[in-house]
């Protein structure tokens, strides 16, 4: 399914195809930890290395399939036949309690797994004293054969970048589109109070006409209609917003494609009271219309209000 196809699916259709519980297992060193991080970013309740017999109990405890919209992801170390039997029994129990479940099996080639262990300077968790990493990998493959045969999705991470793994899991197991999964934080600030170090994108709007010099607007803020209209209706601002929104249209899809979970956009003027506030609000509204999940804040607005009769804002 292409990204465009996912964006065209309704929220209800996405929810219907996403299971209540995802069990992540597979070869050691194949990327189970990275996969768990993806599910955390998607809002799943995540537990690492959980015995299969505890999955149902945990699902009931956190309210899976009770109408609260929560989903559960667990990693299970299933390298023994006994635990695989437990897994089959657990899936049956989940179905009896009307909970849907999918198994994701991660694997990689012997050469890649050996290189990863060598680069990380880690010993294979199954390696016995005097046993080579290659022998441990082969033994693990044999022990996991029945688990692999039962898996609903098999992912070979041998030549897969983390971003590609993230995209594949998101497409299969998220109720949200990639755009909605990225948390976009838009905030205004005043340069005289210090530049924000956390910003991914920062824009300086001090070149725009300043309402501070109008006595009627000096004590107001960019949240007031009079100030907002003054800033946004000015021809110079309209020209800027057209270019600014085109820039966002160009860069935002790239951040989404990279699977960036959070993006911070900072908009600054002198004091963070008038121009930056109005532009930040307009930016947030624009991104919301493009179906991004947006939160907005104004870092220096309380401080700016207290100094409204001081320096230019």
């Amino acid at each position: 399914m292409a990204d465009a196809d996912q964006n065209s699916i309704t929220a209800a259709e996405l929810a219907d195809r996403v299971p209540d519980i995802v069990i992540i297992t597979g070869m050691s060193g194949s990327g189970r930890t990275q996969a768990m991080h993806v599910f955390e970013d998607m809002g799943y309740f995540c537990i690492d290395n959980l015995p299969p017999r505890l999955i149902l109990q945990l699902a009931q405890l956190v309210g899976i399939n009770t109408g609260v919209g929560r989903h559960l992801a667990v990693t299970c170390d299933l390298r023994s036949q006994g635990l695989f039997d437990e897994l089959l029994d657990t899936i049956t129990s989940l179905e009896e309690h009307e909970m849907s479940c999918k198994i994701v099996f991660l694997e990689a080639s012997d050469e890649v797994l050996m290189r990863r262990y060598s680069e990380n300077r880690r010993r294979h968790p199954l390696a016995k004293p005097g046993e080579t990493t290659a022998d441990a990998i082969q033994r693990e493959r044999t022990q996991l054969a029945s688990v692999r045969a039962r898996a609903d999705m098999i992912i070979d991470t041998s030549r897969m970048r983390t971003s590609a793994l993230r995209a594949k899991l998101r497409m299969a197991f998220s109720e949200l589109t990639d755009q909605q999964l990225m948390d976009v934080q838009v905030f205004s600030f005043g340069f005289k109070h210090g530049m924000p170090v956390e910003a991914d994108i920062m824009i300086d709007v001090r070149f725009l006409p300043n309402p501070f010099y109008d006595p009627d607007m000096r004590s107001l803020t960019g949240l007031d209609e009079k100030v907002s209209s003054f800033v946004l209706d000015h021809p110079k601002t309209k020209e800027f917003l057209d270019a600014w929104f085109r820039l966002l249209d160009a860069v935002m899809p790239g951040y989404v494609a990279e699977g960036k979970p959070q993006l911070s956009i900072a908009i600054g003027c002198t004091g963070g009271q008038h121009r930056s506030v109005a532009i930040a609000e307009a930016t947030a509204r624009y991104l919301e219309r493009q179906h991004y999940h947006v939160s907005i804040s104004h870092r220096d607005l309380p401080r700016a209000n207290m100094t409204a009769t001081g320096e230019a804002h």
Side-chain angles (χ1 to χ4, degrees), residues 72 103-104 129 147 198 213:
L72 173 66
I103 300 175
V104 176
V147 181
E198 71 274 23
Y213 295 110

Side-chain angles (χ1 to χ4, degrees), residues 11-312:
E13 290 172 331
L14 284 168
D16 285 342
R17 69 167 174 77
V18 174
D20 298 309
I21 300 163
V22 178
I23 298 172
I24 307 163
T25 188
M27 297 291 294
S28 300
S30 61
R32 292 179 304 191
T33 299
Q34 289 84 351
M36 180 61 82
H37 291 163
V38 176
F39 282 96
E40 288 176 347
D41 291 340
M42 291 191 292
Y44 278 64
F45 189 95
C46 297
I47 297 291
D48 193 21
N49 212 14
L50 185 73
R53 64 179 178 275
L54 297 180
I55 294 176
L56 175 59
Q57 182 180 347
L58 177 63
Q60 293 172 325
L61 182 65
V62 300
I64 302 300
N65 198 29
T66 58
V68 297
R70 301 195 74 176
H71 298 276
L72 173 66
V74 300
T75 62
C76 291
D77 191 342
L78 301 173
R79 291 173 297 197
S80 72
Q81 185 60 41
L83 282 177
F84 178 63
D85 292 339
E86 279 188 19
L87 176 63
L88 295 181
D89 292 341
T90 295
I91 293 175
T92 300
S93 297
L94 292 172
E95 293 173 347
E96 291 173 350
H97 287 78
E98 298 183 346
M99 296 184 190
S100 56
C101 177
K102 297 287 186 182
I103 300 175
V104 176
F105 188 96
L106 302 179
E107 64 179 9
S109 69
D110 292 357
E111 294 78 12
V112 168
L113 291 174
M114 286 189 288
R115 185 177 71 245
R116 289 174 182 174
Y117 277 107
S118 175
E119 291 173 350
N120 295 329
R121 297 183 179 179
R122 291 181 55 219
R123 181 180 176 83
H124 193 284
L126 282 188
K128 298 177 180 179
E131 186 177 43
T132 66
T133 299
D135 290 337
I137 290 172
Q138 287 304 314
R139 185 153 45 81
E140 185 177 32
R141 285 199 189 280
T142 300
Q143 293 174 337
L144 285 174
S146 55
V147 181
R148 187 183 187 280
R150 177 61 180 79
D152 299 283
M153 175 181 284
I154 299 172
I155 303 176
D156 188 335
T157 66
S158 299
R159 296 175 178 82
M160 182 177 286
R161 295 176 57 192
T162 302
S163 58
L165 175 63
R166 183 185 301 114
K168 191 174 187 69
L169 292 175
R170 281 180 167 185
M171 191 168 294
F173 298 109
S174 175
E175 294 180 340
L176 303 175
T177 65
D178 285 345
Q179 283 187 215
Q180 293 169 327
L181 280 168
M182 186 171 69
D183 181 20
V184 182
Q185 299 175 348
V186 178
F187 68 94
S188 65
F189 72 96
F191 278 96
K192 73 175 185 178
H193 301 301
M195 294 174 59
V197 297
E198 71 274 23
D200 297 299
I201 301 174
M202 184 170 63
I203 190 76
D204 181 353
V205 297
R206 287 177 291 185
F207 66 91
L208 296 176
N210 195 347
F212 175 84
Y213 295 110
D214 186 329
D216 292 336
M217 292 187 284
R218 183 167 299 176
S219 61
L220 300 178
T221 77
L223 297 177
D224 292 298
E225 177 63 30
K226 189 171 185 178
V227 173
S228 178
S229 296
F230 175 89
V231 174
L232 299 180
D233 291 343
H234 195 282
K236 185 178 293 186
T237 305
K238 291 182 177 180
E239 181 181 0
F240 160 71
L241 286 179
D242 180 64
W244 172 230
F245 292 161
R246 282 190 283 111
L247 174 63
L248 291 175
D249 288 342
V251 303
M252 294 296 285
Y255 287 116
V256 171
E258 284 298 311
K260 190 172 178 63
Q262 186 174 352
L263 181 72
S264 179
I265 302 175
I267 300 171
C269 62
T270 304
Q273 178 178 341
H274 296 114
R275 294 165 291 180
S276 63
V277 173
I279 298 299
E281 290 285 332
T283 300
R285 289 194 297 268
Y286 179 79
L287 291 174
E288 286 173 344
R289 291 195 297 271
Q290 310 307 312
H291 308 294
Y292 290 96
H293 179 264
V294 183
S295 60
I296 185 165
S297 61
H298 303 289
R299 190 192 73 178
D300 298 323
L301 195 53
R303 185 160 37 185
N305 282 329
M306 290 187 292
T307 61
T309 58
E311 299 178 39

